[in-house]
Amino acid sequence: MIKEKYFPEKRQHQKKELLFDLIVIGGGVAGVCAAITAARQGIKVALVQDRPVFGGNASSEVRLWMLGATSHMGNNNRWSREGGIVDEILVENLYRNKEGNAIILDTIFLEKVKNESNITMFLNTIVFDVEKRDKFNIASVRAFCSQNSTEYNLIAPLFCDASGDGIVGYMSGASYRMGAESKTEFGEGFSPKADYGELLGHTIYFYSKDAGRPVKYVAPSFALKDIKTIPRFNSIKTGEMGCNFWWFEYGGRLDTIHQTEEIKWELWSVVYGVWNYIKNSGKFQDVDNLTLEWVGLIPGKRESRRFEGYYMLKQQDIVEQKHFYDAVSFGGWAIDLHPADGVFSELPGCNQYHSKGVYEIPYRCFISKDINNLFIAGRLISASHVAFGSTRVMATSGHGGQVVGMAAALCHKLHLNPSDFTIPEKVKILQNQLNIKGQSIPGLPIDESENLALNATIEVSSELILDELPFDGEWFQLDISAGQLLPLNKNTPYTFGFSIDAQCSTVLEVEFRASSKSFNYTPDVLIEKNLIDLIPGTQYIEVSFKNVLKLEQYAFIIFRKNHNIKIRCSQRRITGLVSVFNKINPAVNNYGRQVPPEGSGFDSFEFWCPERRPKGENIAMTISPALKMFSAQNLVNGFTRPYLKPNAWIADFRDTSPYIILKWDNEKTIRSVSLFFDTDFDHPMESTQLGHPEDIIPFCIRNYKILSEDGQVLFEKADNHQTINCWIPVHKISTNYLKIVLEHPVKNFPVSLFEIFIY
């Protein structure tokens, strides 16, 4: 029993002072990825989150799906899903939660953090003060946990502000911006200040369900009374909920930090008013049994403060895909800006314009230019309001969080300051350590100098030589234009054969196209066009292209739409090959072709996008000369996803026992073996609501063994679903021989592997 007499002075909270190597403030996707990355490198991390769960806008408190460069597969960014911890979380969520339940995603975030012994997590803990060591360095942050009535003084040499509103950056005095720049400051053609306003607003989602019996609804007094004050009220549908109502947005005309509670009440008014309209207006059928299952208790924030780093990303960097010497991350979501009046605006709910491919984000955007020991992550990074329209999305934010976590760990290990990685020689260290963990910085392979596999003689059971995609799939009617994306050699004339079914005498238009930038997947260069006369019925045709590629890159064989023609597809699916279609995806402003406003600073081009799984058969064809791009040499070329070519070793389909043997001239000490599998980086893996058809990507190797020369099983993995597998022997192994035996994953999907990294 505790019994305490009257105390005439003010009582104090319980207080604790704790020391760490890195303190991460904010437990959204960016903060979680930063903390896990740093912790796995062996440093002590505090992860401070003012909510009861991790994930921020992705959590069950808000329920927005995690997305990034893949953009619902609605753009031309092939194989662009973010790698590293972001990928690990999304792949794990697919495996456990393909239906997209945000509560299950909460448990994955919590588990990932809790499993890291180097992370001390502080949930329901809000940072309210900052102590500075001097003008340019933070000494500690003070925080309070409402659940255990404890006040913490958290001390560290390094800090990461991933808090969304930037509480630590703000209180430490770091330069920041809030609102939109004028066109004159950066010359950005899409600056929305004059027309759209300064800020993006908040959103609150809701979910409904069928209760199986009639359910009445009486709206609260604060519910919106006149639904017609929402200009888009006619677009409200009963079959939509959650993220479909992203446009229930408000607050862009207010202070999105200090007036958040006011914004929340207005959004509640909208949600409950809309539900009253659905249930009681009499304008919707089959709503009697619907009940309101869930309404968000906090709004999902889009925009508040942005902090100034050593470089500020701008629109031109995204559109022109500017190369940075210190590129450490990438983005690919459209520049996506919304009217400040949100749901009450007469303007479209958003304006999205895409670049022709992914863009680089430099390290200099992740550190404050004023506070020496402050990293910035998430939507706080150094970007203009326009560029922020793309960088703000969660998978991109998490990818940047990994940068911060790795940089902090290297600062600790190498006794460096965050700004030291702005030096070209130093940033190479950071880039390589990120890539070894799956970051896949565009165009930058892993430095293989420390990879023991590079010095091994590699023998494989077989190598795929692709001369045919078998004619065993469905017939695709060319109601829209279709194409096959293929990795081709330079200076090589190709002939392709196809099976065509024509309903009448007609002309098939076949184009050979490539991208003006070899690393892109936008077919904006016409190399050659052939017109082929067809007779009624099924026929085999061959198309020979005289013109050739000048560079080794991906190219498109395109069949322009013709309602009278069907083309045969193939069930065979191969890493690094995909069929694409000139289809529309209104959710990301894709109507087949991007036609931006005059002077907006965006390019006009066609969209060519794959079908969602499990659809997406390749186009059946014969290929001459055969493609020989799937050799064992790819296993040590440093690329862990398709880029210019597939970058994977692929076994022949007829190989019933695929294996890889590594031999060295002398014994090597093996500390770890990392294998990089194919989990289809084209698949966006939206984390909530949408749902997916499978829990394991068919390309991914499920079962494999690592054997010694005498056949002893050194390591065995069954039922794998993750992209990167790292085997760390309990005791170091000295050997001059390793054999990796892999099973074909599923029918029509051969064994493939991007990279072996042995340390």
Side-chain angles (χ1 to χ4, degrees):
M1 176 182 179
I2 297 175
K3 187 175 181 180
E4 198 170 308
K5 293 182 179 180
Y6 167 70
F7 187 71
E9 305 298 328
K10 184 180 75 171
R11 288 190 175 102
Q12 298 293 320
H13 294 299
Q14 174 179 272
K15 295 186 178 182
K16 291 185 178 181
E17 186 168 279
L18 301 169
L19 277 66
F20 298 93
D21 299 316
L22 169 68
I23 296 171
V24 178
I25 300 90
V29 177
V32 166
C33 290
I36 293 174
T37 301
R40 289 183 181 177
Q41 295 303 304
I43 71 172
K44 299 297 182 182
V45 181
L47 178 56
V48 187
Q49 165 72 324
D50 62 356
R51 306 302 306 168
V53 292
F54 295 116
N57 283 349
S59 75
S60 63
E61 293 193 304
V62 178
R63 306 193 182 190
L64 173 63
W65 45 44
M66 288 171 62
L67 270 180
T70 51
S71 188
H72 293 299
M73 294 176 71
N75 58 18
N76 291 345
N77 299 345
R78 301 283 63 78
W79 300 294
S80 64
R81 192 177 71 246
E82 294 72 15
I85 306 297
V86 181
D87 174 70
E88 181 181 321
I89 290 169
L90 287 172
V91 171
E92 193 64 33
N93 185 61
L94 180 74
Y95 179 66
R96 302 188 191 184
N97 181 33
K98 67 184 180 69
E99 297 78 17
N101 184 333
I103 294 172
I104 303 301
L105 180 63
D106 283 350
T107 68
I108 293 171
F109 279 119
L110 289 164
E111 179 185 79
K112 289 290 182 186
V113 174
K114 188 173 176 57
N115 283 350
E116 296 299 329
S117 60
N118 285 326
I119 297 179
T120 302
M121 56 180 164
F122 298 86
L123 291 169
N124 297 301
T125 303
I126 186 165
V127 170
F128 65 88
D129 199 7
V130 169
E131 296 293 334
K132 296 182 73 172
R133 187 165 69 242
D134 53 45
K135 289 182 179 180
F136 305 109
N137 289 278
I138 301 168
S140 67
V141 296
R142 293 173 63 199
F144 179 73
C145 177
S146 61
Q147 297 299 296
N148 63 10
S149 287
T150 301
E151 186 176 318
Y152 298 95
N153 188 37
L154 305 176
I155 304 169
L158 296 169
F159 296 82
C160 168
D161 193 336
S163 64
D165 287 338
I167 180 65
V168 173
Y170 176 77
M171 297 195 76
S172 68
S175 301
Y176 76 94
R177 297 179 177 215
M178 194 167 170
E181 290 83 4
S182 65
K183 287 188 178 183
T184 56
E185 181 165 4
F186 295 122
E188 296 172 305
F190 200 47
S191 175
K193 191 169 183 176
D195 302 320
Y196 257 39
E198 298 242 5
L199 291 165
L200 308 184
H202 304 353
T203 288
I204 282 179
Y205 297 134
F206 72 89
Y207 279 34
S208 63
K209 72 175 181 180
D210 190 329
R213 56 180 174 77
V215 177
K216 73 174 182 180
Y217 177 70
V218 179
S221 60
F222 57 81
L224 182 68
K225 303 296 188 297
D226 184 5
I227 197 70
K228 292 184 180 179
T229 59
I230 299 176
R232 294 178 61 190
F233 79 94
N234 283 323
S235 64
I236 294 170
K237 300 175 183 177
T238 57
E240 294 183 341
M241 58 183 176
C243 302
N244 297 124
F245 287 120
W246 57 267
W247 55 276
F248 284 8
E249 181 176 351
Y250 181 73
R253 299 286 182 191
L254 304 178
D255 181 335
T256 55
I257 297 174
H258 300 103
Q259 291 180 281
T260 287
E261 283 294 294
E262 180 181 332
I263 294 169
K264 177 190 71 178
W265 277 99
E266 187 63 35
L267 287 168
W268 273 345
S269 171
V270 168
V271 168
Y272 289 110
V274 165
W275 189 247
N276 188 44
Y277 173 64
I278 289 172
K279 286 286 290 185
N280 299 322
S281 68
K283 296 185 178 181
F284 298 90
Q285 296 180 350
D286 302 323
V287 297
D288 290 348
N289 291 2
L290 292 183
T291 187
L292 196 56
E293 181 184 23
W294 171 85
V295 176
L297 298 179
I298 60 171
K301 286 192 177 186
R302 286 184 176 85
E303 182 177 15
S304 54
R305 298 185 182 109
R306 294 171 285 112
F307 285 82
E308 295 185 8
Y310 282 61
Y311 184 85
M312 185 167 286
L313 199 73
K314 56 186 181 295
Q315 176 185 350
Q316 295 93 320
D317 299 328
I318 293 174
V319 175
E320 297 168 11
Q321 300 171 272
K322 182 177 178 179
H323 173 64
F324 297 99
Y325 76 91
D326 59 339
V328 285
S329 182
F330 65 85
W333 185 262
I335 291 181
D336 181 4
L337 299 179
H338 302 186
D341 293 313
V343 69
F344 299 116
S345 176
E346 298 282 352
L347 296 169
C350 72
N351 269 324
Q352 296 185 43
Y353 291 100
H354 303 257
S355 61
K356 290 184 176 182
V358 299
Y359 59 88
E360 299 175 1
I361 305 176
Y363 172 75
R364 288 165 290 162
C365 292
F366 296 99
I367 52 175
S368 167
K369 70 181 182 66
D370 306 304
I371 307 300
N372 294 339
N373 62 344
L374 177 62
F375 293 99
I376 46 182
R379 56 187 173 88
L380 301 179
I381 70 168
S382 184
S384 72
H385 172 78
V386 174
F388 162 87
S390 175
T391 63
R392 64 186 174 83
V393 295
M394 281 187 284
T396 305
S397 293
H399 204 243
Q402 295 163 188
V403 171
V404 168
M406 185 63 74
L410 289 173
C411 283
H412 178 83
K413 178 181 178 181
L414 304 176
H415 307 291
L416 298 173
N417 296 314
S419 61
D420 289 337
F421 289 112
T422 63
I423 301 169
E425 292 72 22
K426 292 287 194 299
V427 79
K428 288 178 181 178
I429 301 171
L430 173 60
Q431 290 167 327
N432 196 51
Q433 289 304 306
L434 284 167
N435 273 346
I436 289 172
K437 299 301 179 183
Q439 191 83 350
S440 290
I441 301 166
L444 190 65
I446 294 171
D447 179 353
E448 300 283 359
S449 59
E450 294 186 353
N451 186 0
L452 296 179
L454 182 66
N455 299 319
T457 300
I458 300 178
E459 300 176 8
V460 293
S461 54
S462 64
E463 294 177 348
L464 177 65
I465 297 175
L466 188 64
D467 59 0
E468 182 184 48
L469 290 167
F471 297 82
D472 58 2
E474 298 180 353
W475 288 92
F476 178 82
Q477 187 159 349
L478 289 176
D479 291 330
I480 58 173
S481 297
Q484 182 66 42
L485 189 55
L486 294 169
L488 300 179
N489 287 314
K490 63 181 179 180
N491 301 322
T492 304
Y494 283 94
T495 297
F496 303 95
F498 308 97
S499 185
I500 304 293
D501 184 13
Q503 296 179 13
C504 60
S505 297
T506 187
V507 176
L508 174 64
E509 185 177 339
V510 185
E511 294 179 347
F512 183 25
R513 285 183 170 268
S515 175
S516 55
K517 292 182 177 178
S518 60
F519 50 81
N520 276 350
Y521 305 98
T522 296
D524 52 356
V525 175
L526 177 62
I527 299 172
E528 189 174 332
K529 178 166 66 174
N530 285 351
L531 300 177
I532 301 170
D533 293 323
L534 301 178
I535 59 174
T538 303
Q539 55 217 278
Y540 175 81
I541 63 165
E542 283 194 346
V543 183
S544 296
F545 294 108
K546 298 177 183 178
N547 296 336
V548 298
L549 294 173
K550 296 180 180 179
L551 299 170
E552 185 178 84
Q553 66 180 108
Y554 275 89
F556 295 74
I557 311 302
I558 286 174
F559 304 87
R560 289 295 176 181
K561 70 177 182 179
N562 184 327
H563 302 292
N564 297 312
I565 296 174
K566 294 180 182 178
I567 187 166
R568 191 72 185 270
C569 296
S570 178
Q571 296 181 34
R572 188 157 294 181
R573 305 292 296 275
I574 298 171
T575 291
L577 268 66
V578 68
S579 56
V580 289
F581 304 87
N582 186 217
K583 58 180 184 174
I584 69 172
N585 188 339
V588 292
N589 194 31
N590 171 351
Y591 292 91
R593 184 178 184 85
Q594 176 165 290
V595 183
E598 186 78 22
S600 63
F602 294 104
D603 295 320
S604 179
F605 57 89
E606 289 183 336
F607 290 103
W608 288 86
C609 310
E611 292 277 14
R612 272 190 174 268
R613 318 187 56 84
K615 296 181 180 179
E617 292 185 337
N618 287 307
I619 294 175
M621 64 177 69
T622 57
I623 306 169
S624 179
L627 302 185
K628 300 179 180 180
M629 296 187 174
F630 312 102
S631 73
Q633 293 177 347
N634 291 334
L635 293 169
V636 288
N637 75 356
F639 288 102
T640 58
R641 64 178 64 198
Y643 176 82
L644 300 179
K645 61 180 183 178
N647 294 316
W649 164 68
I650 302 179
D652 191 281
F653 275 89
R654 296 163 294 185
D655 186 349
T656 57
S657 301
Y659 64 79
I660 304 163
I661 294 175
L662 299 102
K663 295 180 180 179
W664 292 271
D665 293 336
N666 48 58
E667 285 195 348
K668 304 295 181 183
T669 300
I670 308 298
R671 297 176 177 85
S672 68
V673 177
S674 293
L675 305 178
F676 294 74
F677 296 113
D678 183 4
T679 53
D680 190 3
F681 287 106
D682 244 359
H683 189 350
M685 291 188 183
E686 294 91 343
S687 57
T688 56
Q689 185 178 325
L690 193 63
H692 304 286
E694 63 227 344
D695 56 5
I696 301 178
I697 294 298
F699 291 104
C700 184
I701 302 300
R702 318 288 178 89
N703 306 311
Y704 65 91
K705 298 176 183 179
I706 301 178
L707 309 176
S708 64
E709 189 168 10
D710 61 4
Q712 178 186 353
V713 177
L714 303 174
F715 178 74
E716 183 173 5
K717 181 70 175 180
D719 298 321
N720 171 57
H721 56 275
Q722 275 291 346
T723 307
I724 303 175
N725 282 207
C726 184
W727 168 51
I728 301 176
V730 177
H731 304 289
K732 296 175 185 177
I733 294 174
S734 293
T735 184
N736 63 352
Y737 179 101
L738 286 177
K739 183 177 183 179
I740 305 171
V741 179
L742 310 103
E743 291 183 13
H744 284 287
V746 292
K747 184 181 179 182
N748 289 315
F749 289 77
V751 158
S752 65
L753 183 64
F754 285 119
E755 172 84 4
I756 301 174
F757 195 91
I758 301 177
Y759 178 73

